[in-house]
Amino acid sequence: MAESVLGAGRQCRDLLFLPIGTGIAGAMILDGRPYAAGGYAGEIGHLRVHPDGRPCGCGGRGCLERYSSASAIAAAHADRTGEPVSAAEVAARVAAGDPDAVAVWREAVEALAVALAAYATVCAPELVIVGGGLAGSGELLLEPLRASLAARLTFQRVPRIVRAELGDRAASWAPPCWHAPVPRAPEHLMRQPFLRTHRAAFE
């Protein structure tokens, strides 16, 4: 939430903060206020972007997280080439024009655009702030994402897409920004396998 007050989202009342790392989450700011819906809101990583797609730890299939997270990018590249490398290395190979890396990257970008098009239709953000480890790839990710999202939207407001400014500092600045505890996720969600291993982060 600090990004909306001190970072890239300052002075913006409607935005989505989209951290992309091992998984994908979403922090929603609507009309200048954080929106949590009792802990249910913001699970953009589990929007279905491919019907009957890859199985996800949440129990669904085709979730965004299975195509566009750093872990998914690394896994897709390994499946394609037989070579285990990190998402950062895949990004470096994209920049160098490696065709396998480019194909994996394009799939990840397109999946993000599908999810953001759905979000833009419902919530109409002015701004999408991309954070997390994958944001380190900068315009290599953001430029094609902007183009793909704009091509999918017709009447909807086209959000600006920018990189987070605060990086690792955001977590330490969030509490003084909102003067309120982070809502605890509902207990039935805490029992799900994909959250169980990260329970401390939600309590």
Side-chain angles (χ1 to χ4, degrees):
M1 296 301 185
E3 279 289 345
S4 68
V5 178
L6 301 172
R10 55 190 175 276
Q11 317 239 325
C12 181
R13 292 183 57 80
D14 294 287
L15 66 88
L16 172 68
F17 176 57
L18 187 70
I20 306 175
T22 304
I24 300 176
M28 303 166 63
I29 305 295
L30 303 177
D31 286 329
R33 300 295 303 168
Y35 182 74
Y40 288 91
E43 289 288 352
I44 195 167
H46 296 284
L47 283 177
R48 182 173 293 182
V49 295
H50 286 288
D52 301 318
R54 297 169 188 160
C56 181
C58 73
R61 300 186 70 91
C63 292
L64 174 64
E65 196 167 285
R66 294 290 289 114
Y67 294 87
S68 303
S69 65
S71 56
I73 289 170
H77 186 272
D79 288 344
R80 188 180 181 94
T81 65
E83 184 181 3
V85 298
S86 68
E89 176 60 26
V90 175
R93 295 184 183 192
V94 172
D98 178 84
D100 289 317
V102 168
V104 169
W105 199 258
R106 184 181 296 120
E107 180 183 54
V109 168
E110 290 301 309
L112 279 169
V114 169
L116 289 177
Y119 187 88
T121 301
V122 175
C123 296
E126 303 170 57
L127 181 67
V128 175
I129 303 172
V130 179
L134 208 63
S137 59
E139 290 300 310
L140 190 71
L141 172 66
L142 302 185
E143 183 177 0
L145 179 56
R146 292 186 194 107
S148 184
L149 177 58
R152 293 174 182 278
L153 301 180
T154 53
F155 67 90
Q156 302 94 329
R157 175 160 64 182
V158 180
R160 292 182 294 120
I161 302 178
V162 301
R163 181 179 173 181
E165 293 180 359
L166 301 181
D168 293 340
R169 296 171 294 169
S172 62
W173 286 343
C177 287
W178 293 111
H179 304 288
V182 176
R184 185 183 186 280
E187 185 58 36
H188 80 278
L189 288 181
M190 298 307 303
R191 292 194 293 269
Q192 295 298 316
F194 73 104
L195 285 182
R196 192 179 300 140
T197 57
H198 304 288
R199 184 182 184 107
F202 293 85
E203 297 183 311

